[in-house]
Amino acid sequence: MKKINLLEKFNLFQEHWTPKIIGELNSQHVKIAKVHGEFVWHDHAEEDELFMVIKGELIIYLRDGQITLKEGEIYIVPKGVEHKPFAEKECWILLFEPKQTEHTGKVDSALTKKLVELV
Amino acid sequence: MKKINLLEKFNLFQEHWTPKIIGELNSQHVKIAKVHGEFVWHDHAEEDELFMVIKGELIIYLRDGQITLKEGEIYIVPKGVEHKPFAEKECWILLFEPKQTEHTGKVDSALTKKLVELV
């Protein structure tokens, strides 16, 4: 078991909206992603999803409002709640969610990506 | 559901080695703690435990080595692995672990604290 340095991990890739697994514990994944622009509306029927902003600013649109997250801020989207992340400029995020969580829930989108592990 | 600002949460308390719950998802807790000095050797028989350093430096002693974590670094202690956290200066950490995780495992110590929620 090695320690995980977030900055080193973020420097290993450039692509947007493509979460990378950086850790696993108790059947949950720790992931990081670089995001820019608009994602798709989706929900995860059975999984709560934690977003933490590491750099930049992320807006999470909800059907009844929106949350703006800056560096050092966290939001937990409860299971079943539709959300659409958006970042006007590139933003770096950390995600914490169950291993079985699907990227865009049951929505099939051009943005839907298979999960890969970042070694 | 409100967003969670880590700095605001850390500013709500001063005591050391007293984790505070700041979020919950998928039967896991997100906790923060301020630590300084030496904790006790313990393990969690059934729970993996994630440490992330938000400010300062944390050493996690293991029976066969040690891990030094700086700001933005993460270490996951697997279930059943004995560990003893140590911080020479005050250090702020974030923890992810299952709700049922006991503070010092089966070790009963003067440092053992009941979990409280940080509103």
Side-chain angles (χ1 to χ4, degrees):
Chain A
M1 184 73 216
K2 285 184 175 178
K3 71 175 177 180
I4 300 158
N5 180 295
L6 283 179
L7 185 58
E8 281 176 15
K9 294 293 186 188
F10 275 109
N11 284 335
L12 291 177
F13 68 99
Q14 292 304 327
E15 64 271 30
H16 295 143
W17 302 114
T18 309
K20 315 288 188 190
I21 300 165
I22 61 165
E24 179 180 333
L25 71 162
N26 306 303
S27 301
Q28 317 285 310
H29 273 151
V30 186
K31 302 173 193 170
I32 57 172
K34 292 180 176 177
V35 301
H36 189 191
E38 196 172 22
F39 202 55
V40 289
W41 280 105
H42 67 286
D43 73 296
H44 309 285
E46 300 298 337
E47 298 95 5
D48 308 320
E49 185 172 43
L50 181 147
F51 291 82
M52 177 175 173
V53 170
I54 303 298
K55 193 169 99 171
E57 186 175 302
L58 180 75
I59 296 175
I60 301 175
Y61 289 102
L62 305 167
R63 290 298 187 189
D64 60 354
Q66 67 185 67
I67 305 289
T68 301
L69 295 183
K70 297 179 193 292
E71 190 176 321
E73 292 187 329
I74 290 170
Y75 189 72
I76 298 168
V77 179
K79 58 185 172 187
V81 171
E82 279 191 290
H83 56 286
K84 183 177 79 165
F86 169 80
E88 192 179 338
K89 298 177 182 173
E90 184 177 87
C91 173
W92 294 6
I93 59 175
L94 182 145
L95 300 159
F96 188 60
E97 57 195 354
K99 287 171 66 172
Q100 74 275 12
T101 308
E102 294 184 87
H103 189 207
T104 53
K106 295 301 174 201
V107 175
D108 192 12
S109 157
L111 291 171
T112 307
K113 296 288 196 318
K114 291 273 180 217
L115 268 177
V116 293
E117 193 151 353
L118 194 64
V119 182
Chain B
M1 184 71 216
K2 286 186 175 175
K3 71 175 177 180
I4 300 158
N5 180 294
L6 283 178
L7 185 58
E8 281 176 16
K9 295 292 187 188
F10 275 110
N11 283 336
L12 291 177
F13 67 99
Q14 292 304 326
E15 64 272 31
H16 294 145
W17 301 115
T18 309
K20 316 287 188 190
I21 300 166
I22 61 165
E24 180 180 333
L25 71 163
N26 307 303
S27 302
Q28 317 285 310
H29 273 152
V30 186
K31 302 173 194 170
I32 56 172
K34 292 180 175 176
V35 301
H36 189 191
E38 194 172 23
F39 202 55
V40 289
W41 279 106
H42 68 286
D43 74 295
H44 309 285
E46 299 299 336
E47 298 95 6
D48 307 320
E49 183 172 46
L50 180 148
F51 291 83
M52 177 174 173
V53 170
I54 302 298
K55 194 168 100 172
E57 185 175 303
L58 181 74
I59 295 175
I60 301 176
Y61 289 102
L62 305 168
R63 290 299 187 187
D64 60 354
Q66 67 185 66
I67 306 289
T68 301
L69 295 183
K70 297 179 194 292
E71 190 176 320
E73 293 187 329
I74 290 170
Y75 190 73
I76 298 169
V77 179
K79 58 186 174 187
V81 171
E82 279 191 291
H83 56 285
K84 183 178 78 166
F86 170 79
E88 192 179 339
K89 298 177 181 172
E90 185 178 86
C91 172
W92 295 5
I93 59 175
L94 182 144
L95 301 159
F96 276 129
E97 56 196 353
K99 288 171 66 173
Q100 74 274 13
T101 307
E102 294 183 87
H103 189 208
T104 54
K106 295 301 175 202
V107 176
D108 192 14
S109 158
L111 290 171
T112 307
K113 296 288 196 318
K114 290 275 181 214
L115 268 178
V116 293
E117 194 152 353
L118 194 64
V119 182

